[in-house]
Amino acid sequence: MKHKLIILALILSVIVPFTLNAVSQSAVIFLTIEPGSHAGAMGAAFTAQAEDAFAAYWNTGALAFNRKTQFAGMHSNWFGAIFNDMYFEYLAWNQYFEDVGNIGLNFTYMTYGEQEGMDEDGHSTGSFRSYDLAAAASYAYQVSQNVGLGLSFKFILSDLAPENANETETESSAKGQGMS
């Protein structure tokens, strides 16, 4: 009996971390897409050198050292020719105000294209579009020559399927199809 418990504990210690890992990496994954070709070329080592409108994404405190109005944008067809209606958009702006600090806004939008809804029997319920959206407002202030403090507030919306994506148009038509 003791050996069975030890074997069961070993099996659970191997299986449980894999299931927890799978669950923890599934929500709003579009937020892990890093904007900006400059940062990408540096292997995402951009937090110390964030000197443009992308700074609010990489290091909000670094935004405090920007002294000009800046705009930045990025467009990417996420899977190119494979899925031509799946793309990523990023738009950012920051402005320096004397004796106030820097204010920045950025928007991230990811569309997953058009998909076909299906009911539990595999019948089409029509097509729908999925998308994720994030909007952020940032504030940064230069405390000293080498220290900048920053704060960002982000709103995230994930609309992956309409409420009726897995249902037929009306309850009566679903029953009628099931009986015929």
Side-chain angles (χ1 to χ4, degrees):
M1 181 67 177
K2 186 176 180 181
H3 294 301
K4 289 181 183 179
L5 288 175
I6 292 172
I7 292 171
L8 180 63
L10 287 173
I11 291 171
L12 286 175
S13 68
V14 170
I15 293 173
V16 169
F18 288 113
T19 58
L20 293 176
N21 187 28
V23 170
S24 67
Q25 296 183 5
S26 60
V28 290
I29 200 76
F30 81 107
L31 292 176
T32 63
I33 300 171
E34 300 164 340
S37 59
H38 186 185
M42 293 177 59
F46 202 61
T47 57
Q49 191 179 350
E51 55 196 21
D52 54 18
F54 290 115
Y57 176 86
W58 292 98
N59 180 354
T60 308
L63 187 66
F65 299 99
N66 294 346
R67 292 292 184 257
K68 51 191 168 190
T69 302
Q70 298 172 320
F71 291 94
M74 178 179 155
H75 167 80
S76 175
N77 285 354
W78 194 237
F79 283 105
I82 299 171
F83 301 108
N84 61 1
D85 62 347
M86 185 175 179
Y87 56 90
F88 174 81
E89 304 285 351
Y90 184 86
L91 185 62
W93 163 82
N94 76 286
Q95 172 71 50
Y96 174 71
F97 296 97
E98 190 72 36
D99 296 326
V100 175
N102 269 290
I103 295 176
L105 298 173
N106 63 65
F107 301 94
T108 308
Y109 177 74
M110 178 82 178
T111 179
Y112 303 104
E114 189 171 313
Q115 291 128 40
E116 190 69 27
M118 299 286 181
D119 65 11
E120 62 274 356
D121 296 322
H123 299 107
S124 175
T125 60
S127 61
F128 62 93
R129 299 182 78 65
S130 300
Y131 66 92
D132 285 322
L133 173 72
S138 303
Y139 171 74
Y141 185 77
Q142 186 174 351
V143 177
S144 68
Q145 183 177 351
N146 297 322
V147 177
L149 297 177
L151 183 65
S152 285
F153 294 97
K154 187 174 282 187
F155 170 79
I156 301 168
L157 173 67
S158 185
D159 187 13
L160 299 180
E163 289 184 30
N164 63 350
N166 292 326
E167 302 171 6
T168 52
E169 290 181 33
T170 64
E171 191 65 25
S172 62
S173 65
K175 289 180 183 176
Q177 290 176 358
M179 298 176 113
S180 56

